[in-house]
Amino acid sequence: EAAVTQSPRSKVAVTGGKVTLSCHQTNNHDYMYWYRQDTGHGLRLIHYSYVADSTEKGDIPDGYKASRPSQENFSLILELASLSQTAVYFCASSDVGTGGANTQYFGPGTRLLVL
Amino acid sequence: GEKVEQHESTLSVREGDSAVINCTYTDTASSYFPWYKQEAGKSLHFVIDIRSNVDRKQSQRLIVLLDKKAKRFSLHITATQPEDSAIYFCAARESSGSWQLIFGSGTQLTVMP
């Protein structure tokens, strides 16, 4: 059973529109993350959360909001989508293991195209 | 904050040969270094990691080496197979307590028959 799921798997949005990406995990992990992946780049962290009802900014939070209503669910919100937000978005979850190991488990990704 | 540089953007090897991917990091206090694999059109999955209390770790055909003095770590894939073809990402965990992983830019490994 997939432990981290994302919806939708792909989306076409219009510039200036609102987009919500959803993530659900069944790993019972405290930490959840949103990354974006662009061709030629690694993963860049947008927002993360370590407890329900609280979110933290990552490295590139501008233009994005996040919401963590429960341990299992984490959403990424683009209030005013822009062309530059066309990318693949990955959600991940993790816990803090022995010695600070932080193995992250990734969802299948959402391919977002903003026109 | 931590920065991770992944030196090879592409790497091609013959099936059966070894592949080596190198990464460097900037924060001397970093203590956890995982590697992830992304097959074409798919998501990332964890393959192996190393903590700073050791300098070598092996899992089947995968070997990770860590040189803390040089702030460098590397992934060695021995006896490569076509299914090893993928993008490999190195990462380092922030030492600031946020548990954030900083990823390298990825290496596209192609194993040629």
Side-chain angles (χ1 to χ4, degrees):
Chain A
E1 294 288 338
V4 181
T5 56
Q6 293 180 233
S7 63
R9 293 293 311 278
S10 66
K11 183 169 180 66
V12 179
V14 294
T15 305
K18 182 176 181 178
V19 176
T20 299
L21 306 182
S22 299
C23 179
H24 179 80
Q25 56 108 350
T26 57
N27 294 322
N28 199 32
H29 286 163
D30 286 330
Y31 286 80
M32 295 187 75
Y33 311 83
W34 276 107
Y35 295 93
R36 67 176 278 173
Q37 183 178 38
D38 300 276
T39 305
H41 288 86
L43 296 176
R44 292 185 287 174
L45 182 65
I46 306 170
H47 285 286
Y48 67 99
S49 168
Y50 54 84
V51 68
D53 295 321
S54 177
T55 64
E56 305 292 332
K57 293 180 179 179
D59 296 326
I60 53 165
D62 293 345
Y64 302 93
K65 289 184 180 178
S67 173
R68 182 93 181 269
S70 64
Q71 187 193 41
E72 298 81 15
N73 296 293
F74 192 35
S75 297
L76 185 69
I77 303 135
L78 290 65
E79 295 277 4
L80 295 168
S82 67
L83 295 174
S84 64
Q85 293 177 312
T86 292
V88 179
Y89 292 84
F90 288 101
C91 175
S93 74
S94 78
D95 221 334
V96 178
T98 306
N102 182 18
T103 303
Q104 295 188 11
Y105 297 85
F106 286 82
T110 295
R111 192 171 296 273
L112 175 65
L113 175 61
V114 182
L115 300 174
Chain B
E2 174 75 278
K3 288 181 171 47
V4 176
E5 185 175 351
Q6 196 159 347
H7 296 267
E8 299 84 6
S9 58
T10 61
L11 180 62
S12 292
V13 299
R14 289 281 179 198
E15 184 177 353
D17 288 349
S18 292
V20 182
I21 302 171
N22 296 287
C23 291
T24 52
Y25 60 99
T26 58
D27 186 354
T28 53
S30 287
S31 61
Y32 176 68
F33 307 91
W35 289 84
Y36 289 82
K37 177 182 181 182
Q38 184 179 32
E39 295 170 44
K42 296 190 177 179
S43 187
L44 287 79
H45 69 267
F46 169 84
V47 290
I48 192 170
D49 60 12
I50 190 166
R51 295 175 201 157
S52 58
N53 60 340
V54 297
D55 55 19
R56 185 182 190 277
K57 183 174 180 179
Q58 181 165 3
S59 174
Q60 298 180 318
R61 295 186 296 108
L62 302 179
I63 301 169
V64 181
L65 303 179
L66 174 62
D67 181 344
K68 292 188 289 291
K69 256 187 191 175
K71 289 186 281 187
R72 180 175 58 223
F73 58 115
S74 57
L75 175 66
H76 299 246
I77 306 173
T78 62
T80 53
Q81 300 168 2
E83 53 265 37
D84 294 328
S85 295
I87 301 175
Y88 290 82
F89 293 94
C90 62
R93 202 198 77 205
E94 278 276 7
S95 63
S96 61
S98 70
W99 306 108
Q100 179 180 336
L101 290 180
I102 307 301
F103 285 84
S105 55
T107 297
Q108 173 69 64
L109 172 65
T110 302
V111 179
M112 300 173 291

